[in-house]
């Protein structure tokens, strides 16, 4: 059976969140293709994982017999997150832009799953796994826009997911999500609506595409 690891990190619930709405559309399409599949779901806003600690970090470089009880407990929590990533046939992540970067809860998850010699290094344990990141943002940071130099979400996640974890990464980018709420952006509402529509279409299409790839 296929396994989907679905992670949301938006602080806003349900349809109030653009990233959650699009990840939900992807998941719905994925589940339609995999009715017997397994979904591992983590809502990092509702149930954040611990930020990396000295014990959790150092335990990754110590032999099991040499770990303190505190290191063993902290490392066990990391291993659970790592195993969820390794078990996944597809990874789906909602990564809204907050203050030009990702939510701190998502960064905490990444700090836990990045382990040199296992998920990172010469042969990352999840290498080649397809990953879809829904990178929503209130404005636009696309090439050619006034704030393109402030785009640190896709650049950072490309380095981590592709360059370090070795995942097969693809982005869906719903942008200008503040346009309906900010009068100063009212003229951008049509562009927002087009971006939103395209994001939902991409989510459904990519879920089906990955199903076909896994079945091949």
């Amino acid at each position: 059976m296929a396994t989907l690891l679905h992670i949301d990190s938006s602080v806003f619930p349900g349809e109030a969140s653009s990233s959650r709405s699009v990840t939900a559309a992807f998941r719905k399409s994925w589940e339609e293709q995999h009715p017997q599949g397994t979904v591992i779901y983590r809502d990092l806003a509702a149930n954040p994982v611990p930020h990396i600690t000295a014990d959790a970090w150092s335990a990754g470089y110590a032999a099991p017999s040499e770990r303190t009880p505190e290191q063993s407990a902290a490392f066990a929590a990391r291993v659970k997150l790592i195993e969820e990533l390794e078990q996944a046939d597809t990874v789906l992540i909602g990564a809204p832009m907050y203050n030009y970067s990702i939510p701190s809860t998502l960064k905490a998850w990444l700090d836990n799953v990045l382990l040199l010699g296992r998920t990172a290094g010469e042969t990352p344990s999840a290498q080649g796994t397809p990953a879809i990141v829904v990178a929503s943002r209130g404005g636009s940071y696309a090439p050619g826009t006034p704030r393109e130099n402030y785009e640190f979400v896709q650049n950072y996640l490309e380095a981590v997911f592709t360059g370090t974890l070795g995942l097969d990464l693809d982005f869906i980018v719903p942008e200008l999500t503040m346009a309906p709420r900010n009068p100063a952006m009212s003229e951008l509402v049509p562009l927002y609506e087009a971006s939103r529509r395209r994001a939902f279409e991409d989510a459904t299409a990519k879920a089906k595409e990955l199903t076909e790839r896994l079945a091949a």
Side-chain angles (χ1 to χ4, degrees):
M1 293 191 299
T3 298
L4 173 69
L5 174 59
H6 176 188
I7 295 173
D8 280 322
S9 60
S10 172
V11 297
F12 299 104
E15 294 183 1
S17 162
S18 292
S19 64
R20 287 181 186 271
S21 297
V22 177
T23 59
F26 180 100
R27 176 171 169 175
K28 180 176 183 293
S29 180
W30 189 92
E31 289 180 318
E32 288 172 353
Q33 313 302 316
H34 300 282
Q36 305 302 318
T38 298
V39 176
I40 301 170
Y41 181 62
R42 283 194 174 271
D43 184 337
L44 298 180
N47 297 290
V49 302
H51 282 276
I52 198 77
T53 63
D55 284 330
W57 184 272
S58 58
Y61 302 97
S65 61
E66 297 175 354
R67 292 173 188 155
T68 66
E70 293 78 14
Q71 284 178 317
S72 295
F75 192 65
R78 286 187 74 185
V79 168
K80 180 174 176 56
L81 299 174
I82 288 169
E83 289 177 343
E84 289 176 352
L85 175 63
E86 293 171 337
Q87 291 164 12
D89 296 293
T90 303
V91 178
L92 171 66
I93 295 179
M97 177 186 281
Y98 293 158
N99 300 315
Y100 309 122
S101 187
I102 61 173
S104 64
T105 51
L106 181 54
K107 180 60 165 60
W109 179 83
L110 285 168
D111 286 342
N112 277 279
V113 300
L114 284 165
L115 179 60
L116 189 62
R118 183 164 176 173
T119 59
E122 263 188 56
T123 54
S125 55
Q127 187 169 20
T129 303
I132 303 295
V133 172
V134 179
S136 59
R137 60 276 314 275
S140 179
Y141 301 82
T145 61
R147 292 200 169 187
E148 66 173 302
N149 291 333
Y150 290 79
E151 207 303 302
F152 302 113
V153 171
Q154 287 177 263
N155 292 341
Y156 170 67
L157 294 180
E158 178 77 40
V160 173
F161 285 126
T162 301
T164 304
L165 293 173
L167 305 187
D168 182 6
L169 180 64
D170 205 351
F171 285 102
I172 299 174
V173 186
E175 61 180 9
L176 300 168
T177 62
M178 286 299 296
R181 303 180 184 87
N182 185 347
M185 298 175 67
S186 59
E187 63 181 22
L188 299 175
V189 168
L191 292 176
Y192 152 74
E193 292 173 343
S195 176
R196 179 178 172 82
R197 183 169 56 251
R198 187 165 55 250
F200 281 108
E201 291 171 353
D202 285 351
T204 300
K206 289 181 189 300
K208 293 179 179 178
E209 175 190 328
L210 288 177
T211 295
E212 293 172 359
R213 191 193 305 179
L214 289 171

